[in-house]
């Protein structure tokens, strides 16, 4: 077992001069803008199902398969991306990821066969977006913040919802009035436009600018960690020997199934099945984004003050209840009960992220960003399965109802799983993984 040097007792940095804002907040702002720009690609899949079905006569199951490949690679890439950020730096990894997203999305404009959709949108955009996943937010938070980590995690998580709010109405209008290709080009340009912000303004570590993390003490920048792939797999095997990892992975798989896989992918076509215009359904998704921002930032604030596993149990239980009522609310027009659902569900959309990251940090210490990457992989695998099965269910039954009910029941299971995650906060801070086996 590798011996580590004693860690000195932490002390806080002297207060900043009046009127000065710590550089960490500027880094968080750049990360926020970056995630907003990258969120454009996540807003598009649900808008493409009907146009691609009509133009190419591809089944919804086929289109759902391409989306599921995208979601699965998004998750499976995330833990390796977190390790690559330790090796090459945040800036290089994120800039390259944005270029891959931009190129993959632009290439879909010329596709003529379904395998090209799987390659361009599924593989390329999936790999790029995986490197821009929530592991990016976790890495920025862990490096630049000691205090206010829950709040910052909530803010960066909410950035994805903010991007959805910005891009969904625009993309739905483009799809309805000009076709899906201009919408794809818009997504490509949005990802490309963020690259200069990342390259010029983002910094990998507080020591790069001679600062301590916000609320912490100064530390030299660690040497690049070699063997990123080996470290990522090693952390997985060590974490897999602990019970909390499987409970976190299981609950987060259900989280992905009931959000990205189901609502983000299939809500617009499901509402359209009931006669609702695409722009109106996309507008409702955008409103979910509004309340997601509020709910996620509030969840970060709660996570700094309340027990994370109890928060998760409450979030999953409330989400399950809302999904069970959704099939009865879908109609040709927007009515007050549907608005209530949108608000209620939106507040809970990714509120699960701050307490999940907090539990990873509590149990896995310095490896928590990579562990969260693997937990996020389970989130996206769950999303991928439901994105595919949702399309098959629609083809087979002519309705999405069975998928809504099944997802509601799964959320109840997730609430129970969250409650049995054991607490661990030994004196002196989080223990390393090998002490938890």
């Amino acid at each position: 077992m590798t011996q580590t040097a004693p860690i000195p007792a932490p002390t806080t940095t002297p207060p900043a001069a009046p009127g000065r804002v710590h550089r960490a907040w500027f880094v968080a702002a750049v990360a926020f803008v970056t995630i907003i720009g990258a969120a454009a690609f996540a807003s598009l899949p649900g808008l493409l199902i009907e146009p691609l079905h009509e133009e190419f006569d591809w089944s919804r199951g086929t289109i759902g398969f391409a989306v599921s490949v995208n979601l699965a690679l998004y998750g499976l890439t995330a833990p390796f991306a977190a390790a690559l950020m330790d090796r090459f730096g945040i800036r290089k990894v994120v800039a390259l990821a944005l270029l891959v997203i931009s190129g993959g999305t632009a290439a879909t404009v010329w596709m003529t066969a379904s395998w090209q959709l799987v390659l361009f949108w599924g593989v390329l955009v999936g790999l790029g977006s995986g490197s821009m996943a929530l592991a990016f937010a976790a890495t920025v938070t862990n490096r630049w913040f000691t205090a206010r980590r829950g709040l910052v995690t909530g803010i960066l998580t909410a950035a994805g919802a903010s991007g959805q709010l910005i891009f969904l109405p625009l993309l739905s209008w483009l799809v309805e009035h000009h076709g899906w290709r201009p919408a794809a080009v818009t997504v490509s340009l949005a990802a490309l436009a963020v690259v200069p912000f990342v390259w010029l303004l983002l910094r990998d570590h507080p020591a790069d600018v001679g600062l301590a993390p916000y609320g912490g003490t100064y530390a030299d920048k660690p040497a690049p960690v070699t063997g990123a792939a080996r470290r990522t797999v090693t952390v997985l095997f060590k974490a897999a020997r602990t019970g909390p990892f499987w409970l976190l992975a299981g609950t987060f798989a259900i989280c992905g199934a009931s959000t990205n896989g189901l609502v983000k992918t299939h809500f617009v076509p499901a509402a359209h099945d009931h006669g609702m215009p695409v722009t109106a359904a996309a507008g409702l998704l955008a409103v979910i984004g509004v309340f997601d921002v509020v709910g996620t930032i509030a969840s970060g604030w709660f996570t700094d003050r309340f027990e994370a596993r109890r928060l998760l149990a409450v979030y999953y239980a409330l989400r399950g209840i809302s999904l069970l009522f959704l099939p009865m609310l879908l109609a040709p027009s927007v009515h007050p009960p549907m608005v209530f659902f949108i608000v209620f569900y939106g507040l809970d959309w990714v509120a699960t992220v701050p307490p999940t990251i907090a539990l990873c940090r509590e149990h896995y210490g310095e490896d928590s960003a990579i562990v969260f990457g693997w937990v996020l992989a389970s989130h996206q695998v769950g999303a991928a399965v439901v994105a595919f099965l949702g399309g098959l269910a629609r083809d087979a039954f002519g309705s999405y109802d069975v998928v809504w009910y099944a997802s509601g029941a799964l959320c109840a299971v997730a609430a129970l799983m969250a409650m049995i995650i054991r607490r661990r906060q030994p004196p002196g801070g989080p223990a390393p993984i090998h002490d938890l086996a």
Side-chain angles (χ1 to χ4, degrees), residues 261-276:
L262 182 60
V263 174
K264 184 171 284 187
T265 304
H266 294 293
F267 178 80
V268 171
H272 189 60
D273 283 347
H274 287 77
M276 185 179 294

Side-chain angles (χ1 to χ4, degrees), residues 308-358:
R309 65 192 185 104
R310 295 185 184 275
L311 290 176
L312 283 181
V314 171
Y315 295 158
Y316 285 121
L318 293 177
R319 182 185 300 174
I321 292 171
S322 67
L323 288 173
L324 291 175
F325 280 97
L326 180 57
M328 295 177 278
L329 302 179
L330 292 169
S333 60
V334 179
H335 48 84
M338 173 58 79
V339 174
F340 179 79
F341 166 83
I342 293 298
V343 173
F344 189 88
Y345 181 86
L347 289 171
D348 197 10
W349 175 271
V350 287
T352 55
V353 173
T356 300
I357 290 179

